[in-house]
Amino acid sequence: MGIKVTDKIKLAVKGSSDSGQIIKVGNTTIGGSQLLIIAGPCSVESREQLVNTAVAVKKAGANALRGGAFKPRTLPYSFQGLGEEGLKILAEARELTGLPVITEVMSPQDVELVEGYADVLQIGARNMQNYPLLKRVGRADKPILLKRGMSATIEEWLGSAEYIMLEGNNEIILCERGLRSFDPVTRNLLDVTAVPIIKQVSSLPVVIDPSHGTGVKSLVAPMSNAGVAAGADGILVEVHTNPELALSDGAQSLDPDEFSSLIEGLKPIAEAVGKYV
Ligand code: PEP
Ligand code: MN
């Protein structure tokens, strides 16, 4: 295979799926036979929106809550997130539901703040090669969800994991979220192949993000199934109580009923590959 297991990425490629690493995520884990089902809105917009979504996704079968408080938006006029207020709302939703919280951190200066509220720190696709940020989260006391850059090779992605690990943080969850492609039918081209490739060279858990990976609501369930069938340790899905009113990524967000159907459909697929929801 094309991945050269050299000493340039020796930490990230240590082991393989046979010796899969189990990472604690709040009161649950990833990397064992239980899938990590991360669900929630693209952005934290209000207390009511986030709490209602958290309660609904938990009921449907999610075991982790996502929501962005610091948002990397393509255009500066778009909603940029609620910042610390959003983090407080996330922590409140965790209090209420018990779901661990995954949220993005965009700059090294914010790591200390975000760490105080989150259970897992997300490094977004746009920041996969922000080396000062990678080094800083390498010294954080929380697991990292490292999204693959939209034009990053698998080796580059593992290179970013290596940066984090070199600073002492070995708890990295890789997240495939789709690549820039030529076809505008989908927002990105979800590289499901990345899942077994990672499994063959690394012991790090990997999740699939079919929301950003397709940008299309109707494709989120089938691609969740595909990711889990390919060996993913979990999924990350955007869910909004009213997707039409979402301040970001409404077109790819499921409502709670659609998310609940996704989970029901995923159960037999998970079972077929020795996992469960
Ligand atoms: C997100 O998870 O909302 C996000 C911004 O994702 P990505 O970094 O994959 O674009
Ligand atoms: Mn989003």
Side-chain angles (χ1 to χ4, degrees):
M1 203 159 50
I3 304 267
K4 288 188 254 15
V5 181
T6 65
D7 55 5
K8 286 187 266 177
I9 47 173
K10 63 180 174 217
L11 301 173
V13 299
K14 217 163 99 192
S16 69
S17 57
D18 307 335
S19 53
Q21 192 186 335
I22 298 197
I23 297 177
K24 207 165 163 288
V25 175
N27 52 9
T28 184
T29 60
I30 182 167
S33 43
Q34 182 174 22
L35 294 172
L36 188 69
I37 309 287
I38 308 162
C42 180
S43 305
V44 179
E45 299 169 2
S46 70
R47 185 186 176 278
E48 192 193 5
Q49 168 245 15
L50 202 264
V51 168
N52 289 345
T53 309
V55 169
V57 297
K58 181 173 184 182
K59 186 162 171 250
N63 49 10
L65 176 67
R66 64 149 285 143
F70 294 94
K71 295 303 303 175
R73 304 305 303 278
T74 303
L75 294 172
Y77 311 108
S78 306
F79 177 60
Q80 304 285 311
L82 296 178
E84 187 169 7
E85 181 55 28
L87 297 174
K88 288 184 176 156
I89 295 171
L90 283 162
E92 200 183 327
R94 172 181 50 214
E95 244 359 82
L96 272 161
T97 60
L99 294 175
V101 161
I102 295 165
T103 196
E104 178 160 359
V105 59
M106 294 206 297
S107 77
Q109 308 89 274
D110 291 337
V111 172
E112 199 177 333
L113 175 74
V114 179
E115 239 195 314
Y117 293 96
D119 296 287
V120 175
L121 306 176
Q122 174 172 323
I123 301 296
R126 291 157 189 81
N127 271 319
M128 189 206 85
Q129 289 179 309
N130 180 337
Y131 300 112
L133 180 60
L134 297 176
K135 287 181 184 173
R136 178 61 187 85
V137 298
R139 297 191 301 275
D141 200 19
K142 296 281 161 75
I144 309 304
L145 183 118
L146 179 64
K147 288 202 162 195
R148 181 180 179 184
M150 57 189 87
S151 61
T153 66
I154 290 174
E155 226 166 351
E156 287 163 347
W157 188 20
L158 290 169
S160 294
E162 190 82 8
Y163 263 96
I164 298 171
M165 293 171 108
L166 258 182
E167 297 293 324
N169 191 346
N170 295 316
E171 306 208 307
I172 300 172
I173 302 162
L174 296 167
C175 177
E176 163 59 42
R177 51 77 74 202
L179 306 173
R180 239 327 131 84
S181 91
F182 57 86
D183 194 336
V185 169
T186 55
R187 179 178 179 186
N188 289 293
L189 182 65
L190 187 66
D191 182 12
V192 181
T193 322
V195 174
I197 293 175
I198 293 295
K199 288 286 166 195
Q200 283 166 30
V201 299
S202 176
S203 57
L204 296 175
V206 55
V207 302
I208 205 104
D209 169 358
S211 303
H212 298 88
T214 66
V216 183
K217 192 185 189 36
S218 65
L219 301 177
V220 172
M223 297 317 287
S224 298
N225 293 344
V228 169
D233 297 289
I235 57 172
L236 181 153
V237 176
E238 287 186 341
V239 180
H240 195 285
T241 42
N242 194 343
E244 291 85 73
L245 299 181
L247 295 182
S248 59
D249 287 350
Q252 68 196 33
S253 299
L254 304 184
D255 68 27
D257 287 343
E258 291 163 336
F259 177 65
S260 185
S261 310
L262 178 157
I263 296 297
E264 288 314 305
L266 190 61
K267 284 179 180 169
I269 314 265
E271 203 185 317
V273 293
K275 303 228 169 81
Y276 67 97
V277 176

